[in-house]
Amino acid sequence: MAYVAMTPAEEAGNLRETVAMLNDASESREDWRGKNWSHDDAVRLRRMLRAWIDAGRVLEKTRFERKDRQRLEKFTQRIRVTTEPNGRLLVIDFYGRDIAAMCFARLIRNSRQVLLRKPCRTCDRWYVSKTNRETNFCSRACAGSAAQAAKRKREHDRKIKKARAAIENYPGRPMRFAEMDWKQFVSKATGISKKFLTVAVRNGEVVAPQVN
């Protein structure tokens, strides 16, 4: 159960359970071990959340898979609202064991839903952001790892570009370099190691020059 206007504690709990389910990669044989959802629940929730987020979190525009929509509609049709003695409206939504549908139905009325973010670009785990700012990483550590990876790629691409330019110059190299093979020449001209060139050729990133 949860209130129509969820309390801060209920909203926080909903986000925690949602993230836990989304990041649960366990198999069916581990169902209900220390958790109140199944493997199928986690898979369906991920599928529904991706469709919903891709639609801008607009339920009317969300293109659920047919079986997911049918189960969600079946679940929501059984939801009831009652009034407590203190006048607060309470949603009774725990029918059956469709934990994925219950979690999703609560999330779409969670005022903090925007804090739930798609998987981190570094660790690929769903997460709850601490602020409303757009972010692609769950932590500073993951953001730092991504920045380092981008830096390494830029350096790698720079070396490949220099190596290709030097390879083009190899056939017309000066006489003082005549006895050098192409790797020796490129390494001498660019400072790039012969090991790097060997790997680049193996990966198809550079092509050894054709020498007559």
Side-chain angles (χ1 to χ4, degrees), residues 92-108:
I92 302 175
D93 61 357
F94 54 84
Y95 297 104
R97 298 189 69 86
D98 197 337
I99 307 301
M102 182 177 69
C103 192
F104 181 78
R106 291 182 179 182
L107 182 66
I108 60 177

Side-chain angles (χ1 to χ4, degrees), residues 16 19 26 29 31 46 58 69-70 79 83 86 93-94 99 103 115 120 130 137-138 142 148 150 156 170 182 184 191:
R16 282 196 303 271
V19 168
S26 61
R29 61 178 177 274
D31 283 356
R46 282 192 290 269
V58 179
R69 180 176 292 281
Q70 289 175 338
I79 291 177
T83 305
N86 61 10
D93 61 357
F94 54 84
I99 307 301
C103 192
L115 298 180
C120 170
K130 295 180 180 179
F137 305 100
C138 66
C142 280
Q148 287 298 316
H156 179 86
Y170 179 69
W182 75 269
Q184 290 174 319

Side-chain angles (χ1 to χ4, degrees), residues 45-202:
L45 184 61
R46 282 192 290 269
R47 200 162 53 221
M48 289 191 293
L49 257 293
R50 287 186 182 279
W52 180 59
I53 291 175
D54 288 345
R57 305 189 188 227
V58 179
L59 198 58
E60 295 77 8
K61 297 181 180 179
T62 304
R63 302 183 66 178
F64 295 112
E65 289 191 13
R66 182 178 179 182
K67 56 185 177 182
D68 293 336
R69 180 176 292 281
Q70 289 175 338
R71 290 192 63 168
L72 188 59
E73 289 176 348
K74 181 179 179 181
F75 173 82
T76 55
Q77 286 170 1
R78 301 184 65 185
I79 291 177
R80 296 291 180 269
V81 178
T82 187
T83 305
E84 289 194 323
N86 61 10
R88 295 192 65 181
L89 294 178
L90 184 68
V91 176
I92 302 175
D93 61 357
F94 54 84
Y95 297 104
R97 298 189 69 86
D98 197 337
I99 307 301
M102 182 177 69
C103 192
F104 181 78
R106 291 182 179 182
L107 182 66
I108 60 177
R109 72 175 197 276
N110 190 327
S111 69
R112 300 171 62 197
Q113 61 172 252
V114 70
L115 298 180
L116 176 66
R117 301 299 169 84
K118 294 174 72 172
C120 170
R121 289 188 179 179
T122 297
C123 66
D124 200 36
R125 291 178 64 81
W126 295 75
Y127 63 102
V128 175
S129 176
K130 295 180 180 179
T131 70
N132 289 329
R133 294 199 309 271
E134 287 296 322
T135 176
N136 296 310
F137 305 100
C138 66
S139 66
R140 289 183 179 179
C142 280
S145 296
Q148 287 298 316
K151 182 179 179 181
R152 289 193 296 270
K153 184 179 186 306
R154 287 194 300 270
E155 177 63 16
H156 179 86
D157 292 346
R158 185 186 67 82
K159 286 184 177 181
I160 293 297
K161 185 177 180 179
K162 288 179 65 176
R164 289 172 178 170
I167 288 172
E168 290 182 3
N169 294 330
Y170 179 69
R173 64 194 180 282
M175 286 300 297
R176 66 180 183 277
F177 299 129
E179 298 302 317
M180 289 185 176
D181 63 30
W182 75 269
K183 287 183 183 178
Q184 290 174 319
F185 172 77
V186 171
S187 182
K188 180 75 173 178
T190 65
I192 297 172
S193 71
K194 289 188 286 186
K195 180 179 179 181
F196 179 92
L197 296 171
T198 299
V199 174
V201 171
R202 186 185 306 141

